[in-house]
Amino acid sequence: MNQRVIPIAVQAPSQGPSRERKRQAPKGRRVDPAALAEVQRLLGDAPRRRDLLIEHLHLINDRYGALSTAHMAALAQEMRMAQTEVYEVASFYHHFEIVRDGEALPDTLTVRVCDGIACELAGAQDLLAKLPAILGSDVKVIPAPCIGRCEQAPAAVVGQFPVPNANADSVRQAVASGQTTHEQEPATGFDAYLAAGGYRLLQECASGARTADAVIAEMENSQLRGLGGAGFPAGRKWRIVRNEPGPRLMAVNIDEGEPGTFKDRTYLERDPHRFLEGMLIAAWAVGIADIYVYLRDEYHGIRGFLEREIAMLQARPPIANMPRIHLRRGAGAYICGEESAMIESIEGKRGMPRLRPPYVAQVGLFGRPTLEHNFETLYWVRDILEKGGAWFSSHGRHGRKGLRSFSVSGRVKKPGVHLAPAGITIQELIDEFCGGMQDGHAFYAYLPGGASGGILPATMNDIPLDFDTLQPYGCFIGSAAVVVLSDQDKVTDAARNLMRFFRDESCGQCTPCRAGTAKTLQLIQHDHWDAALIGDLSQVMRDASICGLGQAAPNPVDCVIKYFPHELA
């Protein structure tokens, strides 16, 4: 029998220092001294902690319009991280533009035109086609996923300046003005909120006039459920996290990236301190040491005033020993709306969902028990505690309880955030709150829960819109983002728009979602859809995807096959 002989390398005996090869510099890219000096100036005295990596990348990207490999190498050295770690985070997020070796930093203005479902209905594709010739070569025009301004469709962003109800003239004027940043003031600032009785409820809690047990019981009595989409009972969540060992942390999700959703932005612009007081009451009741607020990067104007309002709040704290509030900036990743992906992003990593268990309430941010909440859930805390849990649960229709903030866009006369009873039907919502359909449009179909909530025909207009009522039809309410389609629209086009969004926004961690969204989009590009093959693929995505993105992505396509077969004939 032939035997394979494996040669063994024999090291020659050392001949002394003269024969040794000594490394003159560390492995990898050499750090450019000029780039290092620029990064050091930008960071100043800011801590070089790993969890601040994304914040530091934003500083560089804002200053130079992109991230060069030289600046990323310098940042890695400054933060004592491997260059690959910095690059893998920077390349994960849409809002970081990476410039390779030999490429110049960009000197052109970027105009982003939202091509989300509501903006596409309003003519975004035509606007994208016209703008390059109108604006010239000095301006780069690109499509962008939903920017949270669906009621202002079509919406565009010039630099960081939003242009609502955009057309060629308004975008051209915005470019010509040279205004590329957006600063705004909240309708109710810190002093006005105090004058109207703000933070008195928090002071009652801290003084002992209210006990934590009583506050949590009132929240449970209200039957308020998480309004970010999952719908977990808020009071029960407070009790669960409170029973975990300290220190406990809190993470607040204001990364409303679901196409069709803009309620958090609307309420923040009106009354940010109502949310902040609710947040601080929750922190007091649960025993929270630090609070991390994660705000989507598209909300540039909100970030500016929220930074100022939080600074005023911390400079004049309404109670002693107030938790520290850390405002963190997203970087354009829909997946970070998922709670564990958001936590990964806060920690300075790629926003990739974690496998569970353990759950965030047990092992969350920085490995500590974490109370995670959507913005709007906390926005209701003050009203519930002042008026009583029974007040909140007394609202509702068709056997449902509570209030819902519906983000309504599409073919209605009055798009916007409409506060309505939980359980209202789509027909009631259109007729009573939205002023009816636009002239010349007849109600044809609707998305009851944003991009992932499915699509239903107008004939199914009597289903109560609430948690648990839409699942029998292959849909769900999610964050209550309602998009209304008319007889001038095709649901097959809507499904292609939504699946393209899911393909682009998949984090790529698991194969069923990464490959499934791309393959489904290929399958539905044709006029004839292979329903059996799409059904098999949908089931695999639902059963095997790690998080809700892959599990819910098939919903609009499956609904088209089930409820609109005439569009596939």
Side-chain angles (χ1 to χ4, degrees), residues 148-185:
R149 296 184 177 273
C150 313
E151 85 282 25
Q152 302 168 1
V157 182
V158 177
Q160 292 179 317
F161 183 81
V163 182
N165 305 114
N167 56 42
D169 287 337
S170 62
V171 174
R172 181 172 54 201
Q173 291 171 6
V175 171
S177 72
Q179 185 173 2
T180 58
T181 59
H182 178 46
E183 297 293 338
Q184 66 185 78
E185 295 293 333

mmCIF file of all heavy atoms in Angstrom, residues 148-185:
data_model
loop_
_atom_site.group_PDB
_atom_site.id
_atom_site.type_symbol
_atom_site.label_atom_id
_atom_site.label_comp_id
_atom_site.label_asym_id
_atom_site.label_seq_id
_atom_site.Cartn_x
_atom_site.Cartn_y
_atom_site.Cartn_z
ATOM 1 N N GLY A 148 -39.477 58.188 6.496
ATOM 2 C CA GLY A 148 -40.375 58.545 7.589
ATOM 3 C C GLY A 148 -41.168 59.811 7.345
ATOM 4 O O GLY A 148 -41.570 60.492 8.288
ATOM 5 N N ARG A 149 -41.452 60.136 6.080
ATOM 6 C CA ARG A 149 -42.252 61.312 5.749
ATOM 7 C C ARG A 149 -43.324 60.926 4.728
ATOM 8 O O ARG A 149 -43.575 61.644 3.754
ATOM 9 C CB ARG A 149 -41.364 62.437 5.211
ATOM 10 C CG ARG A 149 -40.368 62.948 6.244
ATOM 11 C CD ARG A 149 -39.541 64.124 5.774
ATOM 12 N NE ARG A 149 -38.673 64.594 6.849
ATOM 13 C CZ ARG A 149 -39.021 65.471 7.775
ATOM 14 N NH1 ARG A 149 -40.234 65.986 7.765
ATOM 15 N NH2 ARG A 149 -38.180 65.844 8.718
ATOM 16 N N CYS A 150 -43.985 59.817 4.980
ATOM 17 C CA CYS A 150 -44.914 59.234 4.016
ATOM 18 C C CYS A 150 -46.130 60.127 3.780
ATOM 19 O O CYS A 150 -46.731 60.088 2.709
ATOM 20 C CB CYS A 150 -45.366 57.851 4.490
ATOM 21 S SG CYS A 150 -44.006 56.790 5.048
ATOM 22 N N GLU A 151 -46.521 60.930 4.778
ATOM 23 C CA GLU A 151 -47.664 61.824 4.610
ATOM 24 C C GLU A 151 -47.295 63.033 3.758
ATOM 25 O O GLU A 151 -48.170 63.822 3.372
ATOM 26 C CB GLU A 151 -48.198 62.270 5.983
ATOM 27 C CG GLU A 151 -47.515 63.466 6.617
ATOM 28 C CD GLU A 151 -46.168 63.181 7.266
ATOM 29 O OE1 GLU A 151 -45.500 62.200 6.870
ATOM 30 O OE2 GLU A 151 -45.778 63.946 8.161
ATOM 31 N N GLN A 152 -45.999 63.198 3.460
ATOM 32 C CA GLN A 152 -45.514 64.309 2.643
ATOM 33 C C GLN A 152 -45.022 63.820 1.283
ATOM 34 O O GLN A 152 -44.220 64.470 0.626
ATOM 35 C CB GLN A 152 -44.377 65.029 3.374
ATOM 36 C CG GLN A 152 -44.770 65.556 4.739
ATOM 37 C CD GLN A 152 -43.571 66.013 5.565
ATOM 38 O OE1 GLN A 152 -42.424 65.950 5.111
ATOM 39 N NE2 GLN A 152 -43.826 66.458 6.790
ATOM 40 N N ALA A 153 -45.522 62.671 0.856
ATOM 41 C CA ALA A 153 -45.028 62.036 -0.363
ATOM 42 C C ALA A 153 -45.359 62.840 -1.612
ATOM 43 O O ALA A 153 -46.428 63.463 -1.688
ATOM 44 C CB ALA A 153 -45.626 60.634 -0.477
ATOM 45 N N PRO A 154 -44.413 62.838 -2.600
ATOM 46 C CA PRO A 154 -43.081 62.237 -2.521
ATOM 47 C C PRO A 154 -42.143 63.145 -1.734
ATOM 48 O O PRO A 154 -42.218 64.365 -1.831
ATOM 49 C CB PRO A 154 -42.655 62.134 -3.987
ATOM 50 C CG PRO A 154 -43.355 63.282 -4.655
ATOM 51 C CD PRO A 154 -44.670 63.428 -3.942
ATOM 52 N N ALA A 155 -41.274 62.553 -0.957
ATOM 53 C CA ALA A 155 -40.351 63.311 -0.111
ATOM 54 C C ALA A 155 -38.928 63.124 -0.614
ATOM 55 O O ALA A 155 -38.553 62.054 -1.093
ATOM 56 C CB ALA A 155 -40.459 62.859 1.334
ATOM 57 N N ALA A 156 -38.140 64.183 -0.505
ATOM 58 C CA ALA A 156 -36.725 64.138 -0.894
ATOM 59 C C ALA A 156 -35.904 64.768 0.223
ATOM 60 O O ALA A 156 -36.431 65.472 1.092
ATOM 61 C CB ALA A 156 -36.497 64.870 -2.208
ATOM 62 N N VAL A 157 -34.607 64.500 0.202
ATOM 63 C CA VAL A 157 -33.694 65.072 1.184
ATOM 64 C C VAL A 157 -32.495 65.641 0.433
ATOM 65 O O VAL A 157 -31.795 64.913 -0.280
ATOM 66 C CB VAL A 157 -33.224 64.029 2.215
ATOM 67 C CG1 VAL A 157 -32.309 64.678 3.253
ATOM 68 C CG2 VAL A 157 -34.410 63.379 2.916
ATOM 69 N N VAL A 158 -32.264 66.935 0.580
ATOM 70 C CA VAL A 158 -31.108 67.601 -0.023
ATOM 71 C C VAL A 158 -30.039 67.716 1.055
ATOM 72 O O VAL A 158 -30.177 68.502 1.984
ATOM 73 C CB VAL A 158 -31.481 68.990 -0.560
ATOM 74 C CG1 VAL A 158 -30.247 69.701 -1.116
ATOM 75 C CG2 VAL A 158 -32.557 68.868 -1.633
ATOM 76 N N GLY A 159 -28.992 66.914 0.945
ATOM 77 C CA GLY A 159 -28.047 66.812 2.048
ATOM 78 C C GLY A 159 -28.750 66.191 3.231
ATOM 79 O O GLY A 159 -29.052 64.992 3.229
ATOM 80 N N GLN A 160 -29.054 66.999 4.239
ATOM 81 C CA GLN A 160 -29.870 66.538 5.366
ATOM 82 C C GLN A 160 -31.112 67.411 5.531
ATOM 83 O O GLN A 160 -31.746 67.407 6.586
ATOM 84 C CB GLN A 160 -29.027 66.553 6.646
ATOM 85 C CG GLN A 160 -27.914 65.516 6.639
ATOM 86 C CD GLN A 160 -27.075 65.552 7.897
ATOM 87 O OE1 GLN A 160 -26.713 66.613 8.387
ATOM 88 N NE2 GLN A 160 -26.759 64.385 8.434
ATOM 89 N N PHE A 161 -31.460 68.148 4.474
ATOM 90 C CA PHE A 161 -32.609 69.053 4.507
ATOM 91 C C PHE A 161 -33.794 68.398 3.811
ATOM 92 O O PHE A 161 -33.751 68.132 2.609
ATOM 93 C CB PHE A 161 -32.256 70.378 3.817
ATOM 94 C CG PHE A 161 -33.357 71.394 3.860
ATOM 95 C CD1 PHE A 161 -33.551 72.171 4.984
ATOM 96 C CD2 PHE A 161 -34.205 71.571 2.772
ATOM 97 C CE1 PHE A 161 -34.565 73.114 5.032
ATOM 98 C CE2 PHE A 161 -35.227 72.509 2.812
ATOM 99 C CZ PHE A 161 -35.398 73.285 3.949
ATOM 100 N N PRO A 162 -34.887 68.123 4.523
ATOM 101 C CA PRO A 162 -36.025 67.439 3.906
ATOM 102 C C PRO A 162 -36.854 68.378 3.037
ATOM 103 O O PRO A 162 -37.046 69.548 3.371
ATOM 104 C CB PRO A 162 -36.831 66.956 5.118
ATOM 105 C CG PRO A 162 -36.496 67.926 6.207
ATOM 106 C CD PRO A 162 -35.080 68.349 5.960
ATOM 107 N N VAL A 163 -37.341 67.855 1.936
ATOM 108 C CA VAL A 163 -38.215 68.603 1.021
ATOM 109 C C VAL A 163 -39.534 67.842 0.943
ATOM 110 O O VAL A 163 -39.627 66.827 0.263
ATOM 111 C CB VAL A 163 -37.588 68.752 -0.376
ATOM 112 C CG1 VAL A 163 -38.502 69.575 -1.288
ATOM 113 C CG2 VAL A 163 -36.206 69.376 -0.288
ATOM 114 N N PRO A 164 -40.576 68.308 1.652
ATOM 115 C CA PRO A 164 -41.856 67.593 1.617
ATOM 116 C C PRO A 164 -42.599 67.848 0.317
ATOM 117 O O PRO A 164 -42.415 68.890 -0.336
ATOM 118 C CB PRO A 164 -42.604 68.198 2.817
ATOM 119 C CG PRO A 164 -42.035 69.573 2.974
ATOM 120 C CD PRO A 164 -40.594 69.459 2.569
ATOM 121 N N ASN A 165 -43.454 66.889 -0.068
ATOM 122 C CA ASN A 165 -44.254 67.009 -1.301
ATOM 123 C C ASN A 165 -43.391 67.520 -2.444
ATOM 124 O O ASN A 165 -43.728 68.496 -3.132
ATOM 125 C CB ASN A 165 -45.450 67.938 -1.062
ATOM 126 C CG ASN A 165 -46.309 67.488 0.119
ATOM 127 O OD1 ASN A 165 -46.393 68.181 1.127
ATOM 128 N ND2 ASN A 165 -46.906 66.325 0.004
ATOM 129 N N ALA A 166 -42.280 66.844 -2.632
ATOM 130 C CA ALA A 166 -41.242 67.324 -3.548
ATOM 131 C C ALA A 166 -41.678 67.259 -5.005
ATOM 132 O O ALA A 166 -42.383 66.341 -5.433
ATOM 133 C CB ALA A 166 -39.971 66.505 -3.352
ATOM 134 N N ASN A 167 -41.232 68.265 -5.746
ATOM 135 C CA ASN A 167 -41.313 68.242 -7.204
ATOM 136 C C ASN A 167 -40.006 68.814 -7.736
ATOM 137 O O ASN A 167 -39.131 69.221 -6.960
ATOM 138 C CB ASN A 167 -42.537 69.012 -7.712
ATOM 139 C CG ASN A 167 -42.577 70.444 -7.215
ATOM 140 O OD1 ASN A 167 -41.548 71.131 -7.190
ATOM 141 N ND2 ASN A 167 -43.756 70.902 -6.801
ATOM 142 N N ALA A 168 -39.866 68.850 -9.039
ATOM 143 C CA ALA A 168 -38.591 69.291 -9.614
ATOM 144 C C ALA A 168 -38.241 70.713 -9.184
ATOM 145 O O ALA A 168 -37.084 71.012 -8.868
ATOM 146 C CB ALA A 168 -38.659 69.188 -11.134
ATOM 147 N N ASP A 169 -39.239 71.594 -9.135
ATOM 148 C CA ASP A 169 -38.965 72.989 -8.772
ATOM 149 C C ASP A 169 -38.556 73.124 -7.310
ATOM 150 O O ASP A 169 -37.600 73.847 -6.993
ATOM 151 C CB ASP A 169 -40.200 73.856 -9.046
ATOM 152 C CG ASP A 169 -40.430 74.090 -10.534
ATOM 153 O OD1 ASP A 169 -39.446 73.968 -11.293
ATOM 154 O OD2 ASP A 169 -41.577 74.377 -10.912
ATOM 155 N N SER A 170 -39.256 72.455 -6.401
ATOM 156 C CA SER A 170 -38.932 72.598 -4.975
ATOM 157 C C SER A 170 -37.574 72.001 -4.646
ATOM 158 O O SER A 170 -36.827 72.547 -3.823
ATOM 159 C CB SER A 170 -40.024 71.959 -4.111
ATOM 160 O OG SER A 170 -40.130 70.569 -4.356
ATOM 161 N N VAL A 171 -37.207 70.901 -5.295
ATOM 162 C CA VAL A 171 -35.881 70.322 -5.063
ATOM 163 C C VAL A 171 -34.804 71.241 -5.641
ATOM 164 O O VAL A 171 -33.767 71.471 -5.005
ATOM 165 C CB VAL A 171 -35.791 68.914 -5.677
ATOM 166 C CG1 VAL A 171 -34.367 68.370 -5.568
ATOM 167 C CG2 VAL A 171 -36.757 67.965 -4.980
ATOM 168 N N ARG A 172 -35.047 71.782 -6.823
ATOM 169 C CA ARG A 172 -34.073 72.699 -7.427
ATOM 170 C C ARG A 172 -33.876 73.940 -6.552
ATOM 171 O O ARG A 172 -32.744 74.411 -6.360
ATOM 172 C CB ARG A 172 -34.551 73.111 -8.821
ATOM 173 C CG ARG A 172 -33.588 74.057 -9.558
ATOM 174 C CD ARG A 172 -34.045 74.251 -10.994
ATOM 175 N NE ARG A 172 -35.437 74.691 -11.032
ATOM 176 C CZ ARG A 172 -36.223 74.566 -12.112
ATOM 177 N NH1 ARG A 172 -35.752 74.020 -13.206
ATOM 178 N NH2 ARG A 172 -37.472 74.988 -12.087
ATOM 179 N N GLN A 173 -34.941 74.476 -6.007
ATOM 180 C CA GLN A 173 -34.843 75.636 -5.127
ATOM 181 C C GLN A 173 -34.080 75.303 -3.849
ATOM 182 O O GLN A 173 -33.286 76.118 -3.363
ATOM 183 C CB GLN A 173 -36.239 76.158 -4.793
ATOM 184 C CG GLN A 173 -36.957 76.792 -5.970
ATOM 185 C CD GLN A 173 -38.417 77.110 -5.656
ATOM 186 O OE1 GLN A 173 -38.865 76.962 -4.523
ATOM 187 N NE2 GLN A 173 -39.158 77.531 -6.673
ATOM 188 N N ALA A 174 -34.320 74.095 -3.309
ATOM 189 C CA ALA A 174 -33.605 73.683 -2.102
ATOM 190 C C ALA A 174 -32.112 73.551 -2.371
ATOM 191 O O ALA A 174 -31.277 73.953 -1.548
ATOM 192 C CB ALA A 174 -34.170 72.362 -1.583
ATOM 193 N N VAL A 175 -31.751 73.009 -3.534
ATOM 194 C CA VAL A 175 -30.345 72.891 -3.910
ATOM 195 C C VAL A 175 -29.729 74.279 -4.079
ATOM 196 O O VAL A 175 -28.622 74.562 -3.601
ATOM 197 C CB VAL A 175 -30.190 72.059 -5.190
ATOM 198 C CG1 VAL A 175 -28.758 72.121 -5.709
ATOM 199 C CG2 VAL A 175 -30.593 70.602 -4.932
ATOM 200 N N ALA A 176 -30.452 75.173 -4.754
ATOM 201 C CA ALA A 176 -29.933 76.514 -5.023
ATOM 202 C C ALA A 176 -29.756 77.325 -3.745
ATOM 203 O O ALA A 176 -28.866 78.179 -3.654
ATOM 204 C CB ALA A 176 -30.867 77.244 -5.977
ATOM 205 N N SER A 177 -30.578 77.071 -2.741
ATOM 206 C CA SER A 177 -30.497 77.833 -1.490
ATOM 207 C C SER A 177 -29.224 77.536 -0.712
ATOM 208 O O SER A 177 -28.795 78.333 0.123
ATOM 209 C CB SER A 177 -31.706 77.529 -0.611
ATOM 210 O OG SER A 177 -31.621 76.223 -0.057
ATOM 211 N N GLY A 178 -28.643 76.371 -0.976
ATOM 212 C CA GLY A 178 -27.430 75.984 -0.259
ATOM 213 C C GLY A 178 -27.687 75.473 1.147
ATOM 214 O O GLY A 178 -26.742 75.161 1.880
ATOM 215 N N GLN A 179 -28.947 75.369 1.540
ATOM 216 C CA GLN A 179 -29.269 74.875 2.881
ATOM 217 C C GLN A 179 -29.306 73.350 2.852
ATOM 218 O O GLN A 179 -30.194 72.752 2.257
ATOM 219 C CB GLN A 179 -30.615 75.414 3.351
ATOM 220 C CG GLN A 179 -30.946 75.034 4.787
ATOM 221 C CD GLN A 179 -32.212 75.711 5.289
ATOM 222 O OE1 GLN A 179 -32.873 76.434 4.551
ATOM 223 N NE2 GLN A 179 -32.547 75.491 6.545
ATOM 224 N N THR A 180 -28.333 72.743 3.484
ATOM 225 C CA THR A 180 -28.220 71.283 3.445
ATOM 226 C C THR A 180 -28.410 70.638 4.805
ATOM 227 O O THR A 180 -28.281 69.423 4.935
ATOM 228 C CB THR A 180 -26.854 70.867 2.883
ATOM 229 O OG1 THR A 180 -25.823 71.432 3.703
ATOM 230 C CG2 THR A 180 -26.689 71.334 1.454
ATOM 231 N N THR A 181 -28.669 71.433 5.836
ATOM 232 C CA THR A 181 -28.971 70.875 7.153
ATOM 233 C C THR A 181 -30.315 71.401 7.611
ATOM 234 O O THR A 181 -30.795 72.439 7.127
ATOM 235 C CB THR A 181 -27.897 71.231 8.192
ATOM 236 O OG1 THR A 181 -27.799 72.658 8.301
ATOM 237 C CG2 THR A 181 -26.555 70.651 7.805
ATOM 238 N N HIS A 182 -30.913 70.701 8.536
ATOM 239 C CA HIS A 182 -32.280 71.010 8.959
ATOM 240 C C HIS A 182 -32.317 71.180 10.465
ATOM 241 O O HIS A 182 -32.057 70.240 11.206
ATOM 242 C CB HIS A 182 -33.206 69.868 8.531
ATOM 243 C CG HIS A 182 -34.629 70.046 8.964
ATOM 244 N ND1 HIS A 182 -35.313 71.225 8.812
ATOM 245 C CD2 HIS A 182 -35.496 69.177 9.549
ATOM 246 C CE1 HIS A 182 -36.537 71.077 9.265
ATOM 247 N NE2 HIS A 182 -36.677 69.849 9.724
ATOM 248 N N GLU A 183 -32.599 72.383 10.919
ATOM 249 C CA GLU A 183 -32.748 72.638 12.348
ATOM 250 C C GLU A 183 -34.193 73.047 12.614
ATOM 251 O O GLU A 183 -34.772 73.830 11.874
ATOM 252 C CB GLU A 183 -31.801 73.765 12.798
ATOM 253 C CG GLU A 183 -30.327 73.429 12.619
ATOM 254 C CD GLU A 183 -29.846 72.312 13.517
ATOM 255 O OE1 GLU A 183 -30.499 72.064 14.548
ATOM 256 O OE2 GLU A 183 -28.835 71.676 13.179
ATOM 257 N N GLN A 184 -34.769 72.517 13.652
ATOM 258 C CA GLN A 184 -36.138 72.876 13.980
ATOM 259 C C GLN A 184 -36.306 72.887 15.491
ATOM 260 O O GLN A 184 -35.468 72.377 16.233
ATOM 261 C CB GLN A 184 -37.129 71.900 13.350
ATOM 262 C CG GLN A 184 -37.041 70.481 13.919
ATOM 263 C CD GLN A 184 -37.949 69.522 13.172
ATOM 264 O OE1 GLN A 184 -37.627 69.087 12.091
ATOM 265 N NE2 GLN A 184 -39.076 69.196 13.775
ATOM 266 N N GLU A 185 -37.370 73.505 15.935
ATOM 267 C CA GLU A 185 -37.678 73.567 17.356
ATOM 268 C C GLU A 185 -38.935 72.759 17.619
ATOM 269 O O GLU A 185 -39.858 72.746 16.802
ATOM 270 C CB GLU A 185 -37.893 75.024 17.794
ATOM 271 C CG GLU A 185 -36.653 75.893 17.694
ATOM 272 C CD GLU A 185 -35.569 75.479 18.670
ATOM 273 O OE1 GLU A 185 -35.900 74.911 19.727
ATOM 274 O OE2 GLU A 185 -34.382 75.712 18.372
#
